[in-house]
Amino acid sequence: MLKVLIVGGVAGGASAAARLRRNDEHAQIVLFERGDYISFANCGLPYYIGDVIQEKSKLTLQTPESFRERFRVDVRVGSEVTAIDPKNKQVTVRRTSDGSTYQEGYDKLLLSPGAEPLRPRLPGFDSKKVFTLRNIPDTYAIKDFCDTAKPKRAVIIGGGYIGIEVAENLHHLGIHVTIIQMTDHILPPADADMAAQLHNHLREKGVALRLNTSVQEIKETKDGLTFSLSDNTTLCADFAILSAGVKPESKLAKDAGLKTGLRDAILVDDTLKTSNNDIYAVGDAIQVTDWASGTPAYIPLASPANKQGRIAADNICGGNLKYEGSQGSSVLKVFDLSFASTGLSEERLKATATPYLKSYTYSSSNASYYPGGLPISIKLLFAPDTGRILGAQAIGYTGVDKRIDVIATVLRLGGTVNDLTRLELCYAPPFSSAKDPVNMAGYTAENILQKRVRPFYAENVADIDLKKATLLDVRTKEEFEGGSIPGAVNIPLDSLREELGQLRKDQPVYLFCQIGLRGYLASRILMQSGFGHVENLSGGYRLWNEIQK
Amino acid sequence: MLKVLIVGGVAGGASAAARLRRNDEHAQIVLFERGDYISFANCGLPYYIGDVIQEKSKLTLQTPESFRERFRVDVRVGSEVTAIDPKNKQVTVRRTSDGSTYQEGYDKLLLSPGAEPLRPRLPGFDSKKVFTLRNIPDTYAIKDFCDTAKPKRAVIIGGGYIGIEVAENLHHLGIHVTIIQMTDHILPPADADMAAQLHNHLREKGVALRLNTSVQEIKETKDGLTFSLSDNTTLCADFAILSAGVKPESKLAKDAGLKTGLRDAILVDDTLKTSNNDIYAVGDAIQVTDWASGTPAYIPLASPANKQGRIAADNICGGNLKYEGSQGSSVLKVFDLSFASTGLSEERLKATATPYLKSYTYSSSNASYYPGGLPISIKLLFAPDTGRILGAQAIGYTGVDKRIDVIATVLRLGGTVNDLTRLELCYAPPFSSAKDPVNMAGYTAENILQKRVRPFYAENVADIDLKKATLLDVRTKEEFEGGSIPGAVNIPLDSLREELGQLRKDQPVYLFCQIGLRGYLASRILMQSGFGHVENLSGGYRLWNEIQK
Ligand SMILES: Cc1cc2nc3c(=O)[nH]c(=O)nc-3n(C[C@H](O)[C@H](O)[C@H](O)COP(=O)(O)OP(=O)(O)OC[C@H]3O[C@@H](n4cnc5c(N)ncnc54)[C@H](O)[C@@H]3O)c2cc1C
Ligand SMILES: Cc1cc2nc3c(=O)[nH]c(=O)nc-3n(C[C@H](O)[C@H](O)[C@H](O)COP(=O)(O)OP(=O)(O)OC[C@H]3O[C@@H](n4cnc5c(N)ncnc54)[C@H](O)[C@@H]3O)c2cc1C
Ligand SMILES: CC(C)(COP(=O)(O)OP(=O)(O)OC[C@H]1O[C@@H](n2cnc3c(N)ncnc32)[C@H](O)[C@@H]1OP(=O)(O)O)[C@@H](O)C(=O)NCCC(=O)NCCS
Ligand SMILES: CC(C)(COP(=O)(O)OP(=O)(O)OC[C@H]1O[C@@H](n2cnc3c(N)ncnc32)[C@H](O)[C@@H]1OP(=O)(O)O)[C@@H](O)C(=O)NCCC(=O)NCCS
């Protein structure tokens, strides 16, 4: 009879345990969980704080009892695995109730210990009023503080996914929130140009943003906390949420001699086996292969953790399934907006000197003539040679997750920009357009790839030498008068053919419209009318303006 | 200078004209449209009738004037092309205003004449109170009738997409609607088992359904119309919408000697060229290749028409792009529900004797612990050997289009059930689950494929010989008592292991739960406990019950 021990009872661990039982009705399966809860909804925790999820019971998908009943898994909560002895194939378990320990032997061991919040070793960061959020007790602690101390001001240190979700939920409770972000934009998977729209939205909602700023010291005062910031200013608040990223809980594995990699994450092969033949590892504790680039990456997300748990369970039972990599598909609600992304960001592509092209489109979430259509902006990153999809980001009010899911699917299946144009997606007016925003992103990218249009970008605008080039706004007179890029002249698209004589053919023409579409049409006219150097602002005035704000 | 004539100024024709202009700034492009409108939102028309779309201007994306201005296309409305002379490369054009005609020569001709509503030659079907809906004048006629005659009862003849959309919109206006459907279920792309849920929903909303019924005669009376039905009953109403399908407008092409195929649709090669070298055809008038089966098909939808128009425009300008087929991805709002599908239905697979397997799953549109999660049921059809996706259908309140779009993408890229399990989709609680419903459909199908579970289906229940087999309900006692399949015994899943002794190992065990999940878990237990023949009801009691209603 196979005996499997599992360390960690949530996303990866519980998924593996359930699948193991289905694989082998007779195996002995022991699940060790340090905390008191298993199978809880990590991702729902921020919403409990904001009263969006109101019942405590909703936070746990399975209890130790239900899990025992249904899966006959020996669930041991309050049980921390403190050491692995790979040679003798046993672990040491510490009962958190009384500190007593015992050994438990295994045939196979699965590690799914997750990741813990990073806590910089800076003065004051260990204050009781500086909370982190990982599990149910953390959630209750924050909730209790809000309920009892009735705080008015919160500081969020780190504007990643968790930070933003908590910010929104605290804001719901009527607490004024300031997000402090070390880099120039929130949300690491987003590029700065896409994050700009989120920044503006957060500010409109009344959330304060301090970008390019870090907290250097925290002092407890009688009123709360005082934060000394890198720009030599200070800030006061009643409490803070520290959400500056996570790090793999790999100490147990390292101590046992298992190999680790990036950020000390546990190294596994493509069957999710660690450097030891009888030990598997999954979830936030492991290093994965980035699907889009094929390089090592650290991608702590729930969907990969669940999938890995299932694959590891099969391999533990003699299977030979491959986990081929994570692509970082994710989505985030930011008040009324959502941001979703998959694959590599432009920043990541730049950092790894990977060649890429990019396009920006702006489409309606459903047919423009049907009520409820709201704009979605899509940034698409693709290979200059093959057009292979490298990554995508989208922002909008609705339908954003759908578009990134479709692009994520194409990315997964190794598809190209050309595939995006060929997709036949479901269309009726309440749901989409005959040319879905994904098709449209494909068309636009394909035109760039085929050099039917030459794009320039918001970040190039400042470099245009207006003495040697024409900056041409092809929007209507009304749009132009409502605000344009300094130095631009205006010839509306629909009179461009008549006014061609006004433009110098011996100079580059930098065109723009509101989003890029009319600029593209204008490009086609000029390029076929003797203009040798014509460029079109991808993303148009809209994106440029969003970034300026 | 290239001279291109286009017949038909809407989805295919206008898309082609716009792309042609971008391809060739100097071509002469003439667009003939019989009616007074071009570039209108066919798909929005039902919603204008129901006041969901309220402005007439919203129904046209481009006007003849705007199209001339922007694309310098010679748009000729009120101009019907009545004959093609392929030898002399010219067409005859009839001005609808005065009936006068003239000839116009071409280098290349593109046909996008669309499809017209089928109008059975039965007595009374030509009544002025029997409306069809194809274009803007049709829409105004129905709307005017509703506004002036204030009808109380409508009959919809034919429950396809257009019929259902009009039914919903008339219902919004307070009109009582009866849908008469010749076959046993509405919506041809749906299978009967999936349509059952839509039937029940329509009835709950107060829409009457007459299935397996056809209208044999219509009589005008002083009160309205009397319908004689195939079941020898009659029905009275104030007016009718005839939405019994469409047929390609291919007479012009046939008269010119162009080859036609299925349902007389124009035959084109994969570059969208007809049997004449200088004539292309796109849209609702052509026969396409069904993407999933590779066989000829007739798929009149807007997304294919738009895509084909763009491809034909490129090929007319010397390109060699392929249109590789349509897969019938579509979605429909049915009051609060949506139905979406892609690829082949089970009925279609049966009709063509194509081997297939199927699975049913039932998942929450977003994380079950986060507000707003509503059930989605997915039916997945896949190849028994390779697991290649053949088709999928989904019904739910929200997020249905997303899931079918993802599956449509996998189908397009030739993917399998196994690919569905590998997809890494965007997950946060407001949007999905860590295992997206698409992953879940993939898991469930994969388990069937790998014979980890042996499914049976609602349609097999009646065949179970209760003397020779056990029909076992593994839901809770409360669920069982609330209604079960006649003849079933109840052992709740969570006590199954203890009660195994109660079950006969020498008899087949037919298991079921509410949706199939617990039945699967129970199957795994029994299959590994000496039971030789164990089957699980895919879709569970829920689907079985839905079909009985
Ligand atoms: C607030 C929050 C919101 C999130 N939102 C999202 C989201 O929207 N989308 C998304 O994709 N991901 C989200 N995540 C990330 C997601 O929850 C993780 O990727 C996922 O839970 C990782 O699964 P895991 O099994 O590796 O680790 P975990 O789910 O963290 O489980 C690890 C468990 O192991 C236990 N453990 C650790 N060491 C030991 C030991 N030595 N002995 C015994 N037990 C041990 C821990 O107590 C812990 O309970 C969120 C995470 C948090 C904290
Ligand atoms: C009410 C309704 C709702 C619909 N809803 C959806 C939906 O939700 N989703 C979806 O995918 N599809 C939908 N469709 C189908 C979609 O509109 C068609 O697939 C698409 O418009 C086909 O494009 P086409 O260019 O082939 O034909 P059409 O768009 O019909 O255009 C053909 C045009 O050609 C003109 N014409 C024909 N013969 C001649 C001639 N000899 N000379 C000059 N002009 C001529 C006609 O007057 C017509 O305007 C709907 C259709 C209708 C009618
Ligand atoms: C819930 C949890 C215990 C996993 O349990 P599980 O039984 O694997 O998962 P589910 O209840 O989703 O069921 C999935 C199984 O049911 C099967 N199934 C689902 N619907 C089915 C249906 N209609 N018919 C038949 N089988 C079905 C699937 O195939 C799958 O089985 P498989 O893995 O053997 O193929 C684990 O994922 C968990 O603890 N999750 C909470 C923590 C977490 O994920 N946190 C991060 C996100 S908040
Ligand atoms: C609207 C219509 C005239 C087509 O015009 P169109 O110019 O091809 O279509 P769009 O306005 O959608 O623009 C698409 C073009 O803009 C480009 N584009 C879109 N967004 C862009 C952006 N942000 N930057 C640059 N280019 C962009 C696309 O690449 C595409 O050009 P391409 O085909 O040369 O690649 C035609 O589709 C039509 O008449 N539709 C209404 C009828 C209909 O479809 N009915 C059925 C559904 S209701």
Side-chain angles (χ1 to χ4, degrees):
Chain A
M1 194 178 65
L2 179 72
K3 180 170 176 190
V4 185
L5 304 186
I6 300 175
V7 180
V10 195
S15 295
R19 176 75 174 177
L20 273 170
R21 175 54 71 223
R22 292 189 284 270
N23 286 344
D24 185 346
E25 176 64 13
H26 308 291
Q28 186 183 350
I29 307 169
V30 187
L31 182 74
F32 297 104
E33 168 54 52
R34 183 172 55 201
D36 290 333
Y37 302 90
I38 62 158
S39 192
F40 62 84
N42 329 51
C43 320
L45 303 178
Y47 298 96
Y48 181 80
I49 295 173
D51 288 336
V52 177
I53 299 172
Q54 296 185 345
E55 292 158 58
K56 287 191 174 181
S57 64
K58 291 226 165 175
L59 293 179
T60 42
L61 280 76
Q62 294 278 349
T63 61
E65 296 68 41
S66 71
F67 212 69
R68 270 183 219 121
E69 268 200 334
R70 177 143 302 174
F71 297 109
R72 215 173 252 194
V73 166
D74 181 354
V75 178
R76 303 190 195 165
V77 290
S79 303
E80 182 174 25
V81 174
T82 54
I84 306 169
D85 175 358
K87 226 177 118 207
N88 297 306
K89 294 178 75 170
Q90 61 179 24
V91 301
T92 306
V93 185
R94 185 182 148 271
R95 296 186 187 89
T96 57
S97 52
D98 60 6
S100 64
T101 62
Y102 61 95
Q103 319 289 323
E104 189 80 46
Y106 62 79
D107 297 319
K108 301 284 173 188
L109 175 64
L110 175 70
L111 306 178
S112 190
E116 60 188 328
L118 283 169
R119 203 176 256 275
R121 284 175 206 219
L122 290 169
F125 275 64
D126 53 358
S127 159
K128 284 220 164 117
K129 291 182 176 168
V130 177
F131 297 88
T132 56
L133 177 60
R134 177 185 182 182
N135 52 34
I136 292 186
D138 294 345
T139 312
Y140 291 169
I142 297 169
K143 184 82 188 139
D144 284 349
F145 183 82
C146 293
D147 287 350
T148 55
K150 310 254 180 247
K152 294 202 167 53
R153 298 153 308 164
V155 157
I156 309 276
I157 306 173
Y161 279 90
I162 297 177
I164 305 287
E165 286 181 347
V166 175
E168 179 176 341
N169 278 285
L170 293 177
H171 182 93
H172 281 175
L173 298 179
I175 297 170
H176 181 267
V177 178
T178 302
I179 299 173
I180 300 180
Q181 171 69 22
M182 209 148 65
T183 60
D184 66 351
H185 68 84
I186 59 166
L187 282 181
D191 288 319
D193 48 12
M194 296 300 277
Q197 192 178 340
L198 300 175
H199 293 168
N200 296 332
H201 188 64
L202 284 167
R203 289 184 185 119
E204 275 165 27
K205 291 287 172 185
V207 172
L209 285 182
R210 300 288 293 265
L211 304 174
N212 296 306
T213 307
S214 60
V215 179
Q216 307 201 306
E217 186 176 352
I218 305 175
K219 281 212 186 80
E220 288 200 31
T221 63
K222 67 174 182 344
D223 291 341
L225 299 173
T226 301
F227 303 81
S228 305
L229 305 181
S230 53
D231 60 2
N232 293 322
T233 63
T234 59
L235 191 74
C236 297
D238 303 311
F239 70 117
I241 306 286
L242 179 58
S243 49
V246 297
K247 65 163 190 256
E249 275 222 45
S250 55
K251 187 172 178 302
L252 180 70
K254 275 180 80 170
D255 288 351
L258 300 183
K259 287 194 186 137
T260 56
L262 227 63
R263 300 200 204 180
D264 261 349
I266 304 171
L267 279 187
V268 292
D269 66 13
D270 59 4
T271 69
L272 299 170
K273 198 157 66 185
T274 66
S275 52
N276 181 294
N277 228 3
D278 300 307
I279 308 180
Y280 289 77
V282 299
D284 285 4
I286 68 166
Q287 173 181 304
V288 293
T289 300
D290 175 85
W291 177 256
S293 67
T295 56
Y298 180 61
I299 300 180
L301 288 170
S303 163
N306 273 277
K307 293 194 172 67
Q308 291 158 12
R310 187 175 184 268
I311 290 175
D314 283 9
N315 291 342
I316 285 172
C317 294
N320 186 27
L321 272 79
K322 311 274 184 223
Y323 183 76
E324 293 162 318
S326 300
Q327 64 193 76
S329 304
S330 60
V331 58
L332 174 72
K333 175 173 163 356
V334 186
F335 290 87
D336 310 336
L337 285 176
S338 2
F339 169 79
S341 68
T342 190
L344 303 164
S345 66
E346 183 174 8
E347 286 166 10
R348 190 92 207 100
L349 289 162
K350 273 193 179 148
T352 54
T354 311
Y356 67 91
L357 288 172
K358 62 174 175 170
S359 72
Y360 298 87
T361 44
Y362 199 66
S363 313
S364 177
S365 54
N366 62 243
S368 51
Y369 54 80
Y370 186 91
L374 289 166
I376 297 178
S377 41
I378 299 181
K379 176 174 183 173
L380 191 68
L381 296 149
F382 49 99
D385 44 358
T386 57
R388 195 170 68 86
I389 308 295
L390 299 172
Q393 296 163 46
I395 296 180
Y397 297 85
T398 181
V400 162
D401 51 330
K402 171 162 91 167
R403 274 55 184 221
I404 293 297
D405 273 359
V406 168
I407 298 175
T409 302
V410 175
L411 171 54
R412 195 73 192 183
L413 298 179
T416 65
V417 150
N418 183 252
D419 289 314
L420 297 187
T421 70
R422 293 160 58 233
L423 293 181
E424 190 190 314
L425 304 171
C426 301
Y427 164 57
F431 303 92
S432 182
S433 293
K435 294 170 189 161
D436 188 88
V438 171
N439 297 133
M440 207 60 113
Y443 291 143
T444 304
E446 195 186 72
N447 290 331
I448 292 173
L449 210 53
Q450 296 179 345
K451 303 199 168 35
R452 293 171 60 94
V453 63
R454 183 168 161 182
F456 74 105
Y457 298 99
E459 60 266 29
N460 309 132
V461 169
D463 300 334
I464 297 173
D465 182 348
L466 291 169
K467 291 195 208 79
K468 296 189 187 144
T470 310
L471 183 61
L472 179 63
D473 184 341
V474 299
R475 296 177 305 158
T476 62
K477 196 160 165 285
E478 293 68 38
E479 286 174 287
F480 178 70
E481 284 167 358
S484 186
I485 302 179
V489 296
N490 176 232
I491 305 179
L493 170 62
D494 288 340
S495 45
L496 185 60
R497 290 184 179 92
E498 287 72 38
E499 316 264 339
L500 279 185
Q502 284 189 33
L503 293 170
R504 288 182 60 165
K505 290 191 175 170
D506 60 345
Q507 277 194 351
V509 181
Y510 294 91
L511 286 168
F512 67 94
C513 62
Q514 187 66 12
I515 63 157
L517 201 170
R518 283 172 290 171
Y520 163 55
L521 303 183
S523 293
R524 295 304 302 161
I525 295 173
L526 295 190
M527 287 167 78
Q528 298 180 69
S529 305
F531 289 79
H533 184 151
V534 182
E535 299 192 22
N536 176 39
L537 181 61
S538 191
Y541 177 75
R542 194 200 66 80
L543 182 62
W544 178 86
N545 191 42
E546 193 88 58
I547 297 168
Q548 307 308 305
K549 276 188 203 164
Chain B
M1 194 177 67
L2 178 73
K3 182 172 177 189
V4 185
L5 304 187
I6 299 175
V7 180
V10 196
S15 293
R19 176 74 174 177
L20 273 170
R21 176 54 73 224
R22 292 190 283 269
N23 286 344
D24 186 346
E25 175 63 14
H26 308 293
Q28 186 184 349
I29 306 169
V30 188
L31 182 75
F32 297 104
E33 169 54 53
R34 182 171 56 200
D36 289 333
Y37 302 89
I38 63 158
S39 190
F40 61 84
N42 328 53
C43 320
L45 302 178
Y47 298 95
Y48 181 79
I49 295 172
D51 288 336
V52 177
I53 299 174
Q54 297 186 344
E55 292 158 57
K56 288 192 172 181
S57 65
K58 290 226 164 174
L59 294 179
T60 43
L61 279 76
Q62 294 278 349
T63 61
E65 298 67 41
S66 71
F67 211 71
R68 268 182 219 123
E69 266 199 334
R70 177 142 302 174
F71 296 108
R72 214 173 254 193
V73 166
D74 180 355
V75 178
R76 302 190 195 165
V77 290
S79 303
E80 181 175 27
V81 174
T82 54
I84 305 169
D85 176 356
K87 223 175 122 211
N88 297 305
K89 295 178 71 169
Q90 61 179 22
V91 301
T92 305
V93 186
R94 184 180 148 273
R95 295 186 188 90
T96 57
S97 52
D98 59 7
S100 64
T101 62
Y102 61 95
Q103 318 290 323
E104 190 79 44
Y106 62 81
D107 296 319
K108 299 284 173 188
L109 175 64
L110 175 71
L111 306 178
S112 189
E116 59 188 329
L118 283 170
R119 204 176 256 277
R121 283 172 207 222
L122 290 169
F125 275 65
D126 53 357
S127 159
K128 284 223 165 112
K129 290 182 177 168
V130 177
F131 297 88
T132 56
L133 177 60
R134 177 185 182 183
N135 52 34
I136 292 187
D138 294 346
T139 312
Y140 291 170
I142 298 170
K143 185 81 187 139
D144 284 349
F145 183 82
C146 294
D147 288 348
T148 54
K150 310 249 180 255
K152 294 203 169 49
R153 298 153 308 164
V155 157
I156 309 276
I157 307 173
Y161 279 91
I162 297 176
I164 305 287
E165 287 181 346
V166 175
E168 179 175 342
N169 278 284
L170 292 177
H171 182 93
H172 280 175
L173 297 179
I175 297 170
H176 180 267
V177 177
T178 302
I179 299 174
I180 300 181
Q181 171 70 22
M182 208 147 65
T183 60
D184 67 350
H185 68 84
I186 59 166
L187 281 180
D191 288 319
D193 49 11
M194 296 300 277
Q197 193 178 341
L198 300 176
H199 293 168
N200 296 334
H201 188 63
L202 284 168
R203 289 183 185 119
E204 274 165 28
K205 291 288 172 184
V207 173
L209 285 183
R210 299 289 292 266
L211 304 174
N212 296 307
T213 308
S214 61
V215 179
Q216 306 201 308
E217 185 176 352
I218 304 175
K219 281 211 186 83
E220 287 201 31
T221 63
K222 68 172 180 347
D223 290 341
L225 300 173
T226 300
F227 302 81
S228 306
L229 306 182
S230 54
D231 59 2
N232 293 324
T233 62
T234 59
L235 191 75
C236 297
D238 302 311
F239 70 117
I241 307 286
L242 179 58
S243 49
V246 297
K247 64 163 191 254
E249 276 222 41
S250 55
K251 185 168 180 305
L252 180 70
K254 275 180 81 171
D255 289 350
L258 299 183
K259 288 195 186 135
T260 56
L262 227 63
R263 301 201 203 180
D264 262 350
I266 304 170
L267 279 187
V268 291
D269 66 13
D270 60 3
T271 69
L272 299 170
K273 197 156 68 185
T274 66
S275 52
N276 181 292
N277 228 2
D278 300 307
I279 308 180
Y280 289 77
V282 299
D284 285 3
I286 68 166
Q287 174 182 302
V288 293
T289 300
D290 175 85
W291 177 256
S293 67
T295 56
Y298 180 61
I299 301 180
L301 287 170
S303 162
N306 272 276
K307 293 195 172 67
Q308 292 158 10
R310 188 173 183 269
I311 290 175
D314 283 9
N315 290 342
I316 284 172
C317 295
N320 186 29
L321 272 80
K322 310 275 185 225
Y323 183 75
E324 292 161 320
S326 300
Q327 65 194 74
S329 303
S330 61
V331 58
L332 174 72
K333 176 175 163 350
V334 186
F335 290 88
D336 308 336
L337 285 176
S338 4
F339 169 79
S341 70
T342 190
L344 302 165
S345 66
E346 184 174 6
E347 287 167 10
R348 189 91 208 101
L349 290 162
K350 273 193 178 148
T352 54
T354 311
Y356 68 91
L357 288 172
K358 62 175 175 170
S359 72
Y360 299 86
T361 44
Y362 200 65
S363 314
S364 177
S365 55
N366 61 243
S368 50
Y369 54 80
Y370 186 91
L374 290 167
I376 297 179
S377 41
I378 298 181
K379 175 174 184 173
L380 191 68
L381 297 149
F382 49 99
D385 45 356
T386 56
R388 196 170 68 86
I389 308 296
L390 299 172
Q393 297 163 45
I395 296 180
Y397 296 86
T398 180
V400 162
D401 51 330
K402 173 163 92 168
R403 274 55 184 222
I404 293 296
D405 273 359
V406 168
I407 299 177
T409 302
V410 175
L411 171 53
R412 195 73 191 183
L413 299 178
T416 65
V417 151
N418 183 251
D419 289 314
L420 298 187
T421 69
R422 294 160 57 234
L423 293 181
E424 190 191 316
L425 303 171
C426 301
Y427 164 58
F431 303 92
S432 184
S433 293
K435 294 170 189 162
D436 188 88
V438 170
N439 297 133
M440 208 59 114
Y443 290 142
T444 305
E446 196 186 72
N447 290 331
I448 293 173
L449 209 55
Q450 297 179 348
K451 303 198 170 29
R452 293 171 61 92
V453 63
R454 182 167 162 184
F456 73 105
Y457 298 99
E459 61 266 27
N460 309 131
V461 169
D463 300 335
I464 298 173
D465 182 348
L466 291 170
K467 292 195 211 78
K468 298 189 185 146
T470 310
L471 182 61
L472 179 63
D473 184 341
V474 298
R475 297 176 305 158
T476 62
K477 196 160 164 284
E478 292 69 39
E479 287 175 285
F480 179 71
E481 283 166 358
S484 186
I485 301 178
V489 296
N490 177 231
I491 305 178
L493 169 62
D494 288 341
S495 44
L496 184 61
R497 290 186 180 91
E498 287 72 39
E499 316 265 339
L500 279 185
Q502 283 190 31
L503 293 171
R504 290 180 60 164
K505 289 193 176 170
D506 59 345
Q507 279 193 349
V509 181
Y510 294 91
L511 285 169
F512 66 94
C513 63
Q514 187 65 12
I515 62 158
L517 201 170
R518 282 173 289 171
Y520 162 58
L521 302 184
S523 294
R524 295 304 302 160
I525 296 172
L526 295 190
M527 287 167 77
Q528 298 180 70
S529 305
F531 289 79
H533 184 152
V534 182
E535 301 193 19
N536 176 38
L537 181 61
S538 190
Y541 177 76
R542 195 200 66 78
L543 181 62
W544 178 86
N545 190 42
E546 192 88 58
I547 296 168
Q548 307 308 306
K549 276 188 203 165

